[in-house]
């Protein structure tokens, strides 16, 4: 079983400062993601915003990742690289962003549709958001990581969507990815019990078809093997005395 460190109120405040910048970046990208905009343009605007806010990027240069945001389109699940590709009407866009404030990391993601989403796509987006909310609601002191995972799994499974398993949530703090892992499904293994001061990034990734994924030749972009659409929602949170504090929502 892995370990987890408790963050002090000051440390959680610093993560929340980073998280505010991340929330702003996600909102900015959503506003700018209009047909004709390139993913590189969105990334450049996100980078300018992070700099202007006095924060730094934890994504850029992470194992060589070239952007400050991941932009994953349609059947891309996560880790899409910003570049020449243009946003089009009818696209499902997933944006994942992170920032560092005074050495403390925050990480969050949202999916949205460009234009008016057909019902099944709107449902995929809504259920993925609801799965995240269920995981967050379960992250109370005394609960286990397994209970958080189970809450996410139940929402996804009840709706009939696939759960991407190779990529999971994580602890967050001095590093973007800290122990423990937070799977989006029950593992059946003994897991950590949460206490106030534990900070997690919870991040369900759901698919309309098969949950199986592979990594593209660019060695980053994760896609569904059957080409089905995927959605990704993530927030960084701090476990409190009751409901957790949301660190990456405006
Ligand atoms: Mg994450």
């Amino acid at each position: 079983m892995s370990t987890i460190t408790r963050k002090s109120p000051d440390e959680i405040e610093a993560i929340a400062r980073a998280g505010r910048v991340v929330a702003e970046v996600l909102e900015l990208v959503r506003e700018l993601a209009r047909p004709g905009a390139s993913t590189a343009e969105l990334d450049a605007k996100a980078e300018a915003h992070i700099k202007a806010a006095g924060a730094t990027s934890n994504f850029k240069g992470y194992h060589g990742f070239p952007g400050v945001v991941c932009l994953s389109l349609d059947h891309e699940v996560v880790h899409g690289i910003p570049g020449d590709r243009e946003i089009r009407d009818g696209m499902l866009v997933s944006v994942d962003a992170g920032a560092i404030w005074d050495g403390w990391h925050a990480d969050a993601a949202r999916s949205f549709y460009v234009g008016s989403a057909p019902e099944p796509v709107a449902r995929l987006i809504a259920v993925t958001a609801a799965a995240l909310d269920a995981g967050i609601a379960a992250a109370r002191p005394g609960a286990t990581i397994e209970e958080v995972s189970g809450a996410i799994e139940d929402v996804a499974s009840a709706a009939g969507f696939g759960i991407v398993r190779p990529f999971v949530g994580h602890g967050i703090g001095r590093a973007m990815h800290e122990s423990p892992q937070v799977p989006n499904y029950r593992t059946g293994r003994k897991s950590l019990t949460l206490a106030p001061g534990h900070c997690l990034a919870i991040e369900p990734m759901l698919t309309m078809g098969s949950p199986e994924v592979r990594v593209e030749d660019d060695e980053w972009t994760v896609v569904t093997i059957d080409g089905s659409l995927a959605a990704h929602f993530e927030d960084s949170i701090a476990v409190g005395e009751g409901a957790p504090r949301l660190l990456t929502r405006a």
Side-chain angles (χ1 to χ4, degrees):
M1 206 166 71
S2 57
T3 56
I4 182 167
T5 57
R6 289 172 78 153
K7 275 73 179 178
S8 72
D10 282 354
E11 292 168 346
I12 291 169
E13 210 49 53
I15 299 173
R17 286 291 297 268
R20 202 176 311 154
V21 178
V22 172
E24 290 163 1
V25 166
L26 294 175
E27 194 50 46
L28 180 69
V29 169
R30 186 180 186 136
E31 279 169 21
L32 298 173
R34 301 206 185 91
S38 76
T39 52
E41 284 166 36
L42 301 180
D43 184 69
K45 295 277 171 51
E47 183 165 23
H49 186 85
I50 291 170
K51 275 190 186 141
T56 53
S57 173
N58 39 11
F59 281 31
K60 193 161 194 165
Y62 181 83
H63 295 287
F65 191 79
V68 305
V69 292
C70 300
L71 284 158
S72 308
L73 310 175
D74 293 332
H75 72 299
E76 298 171 0
V77 184
V78 285
H79 304 166
I81 301 174
D84 295 339
R85 291 183 308 163
E86 288 184 356
I87 301 295
R88 292 190 315 272
D89 201 36
M91 235 176 204
L92 174 56
V93 178
S94 294
V95 53
D96 194 344
I100 308 170
W101 180 270
D102 197 24
W104 293 91
H105 292 245
D107 184 12
R110 302 283 182 266
S111 291
F112 58 90
Y113 192 82
V114 183
S116 179
E119 198 280 328
V121 186
R123 193 165 155 269
L124 174 70
I125 293 169
V127 169
T128 309
L132 170 61
D133 284 343
I136 291 170
R140 288 175 171 260
T144 61
I145 296 286
E146 181 80 345
E147 289 175 85
V148 174
S149 300
I152 296 167
E153 179 181 347
D154 287 346
V155 171
S157 298
F161 291 126
I163 300 172
V164 174
R165 297 170 76 100
F167 300 91
V168 298
H170 47 92
I172 190 158
R174 278 286 186 199
M176 179 157 60
H177 297 123
E178 294 188 352
S179 174
Q181 292 197 339
V182 185
N184 297 307
Y185 52 89
R186 291 180 184 84
T187 65
R189 293 193 295 268
K190 187 165 165 56
S191 66
L192 287 162
T193 298
L194 294 170
H198 287 161
C199 293
L200 302 174
I202 301 176
E203 51 176 324
M205 294 152 223
L206 305 187
T207 64
M208 231 183 240
S210 166
E212 301 300 321
V213 296
R214 65 177 171 82
V215 180
E216 293 268 51
D217 290 342
D218 64 16
E219 296 183 355
W220 278 106
T221 313
V222 176
V223 298
T224 56
I225 54 164
D226 65 357
S228 68
L229 295 176
H232 178 209
F233 279 77
E234 174 179 26
D235 275 306
S236 299
I237 61 140
V239 177
E241 298 294 340
R245 178 171 173 192
L246 298 166
L247 304 172
T248 44
R249 290 197 196 177

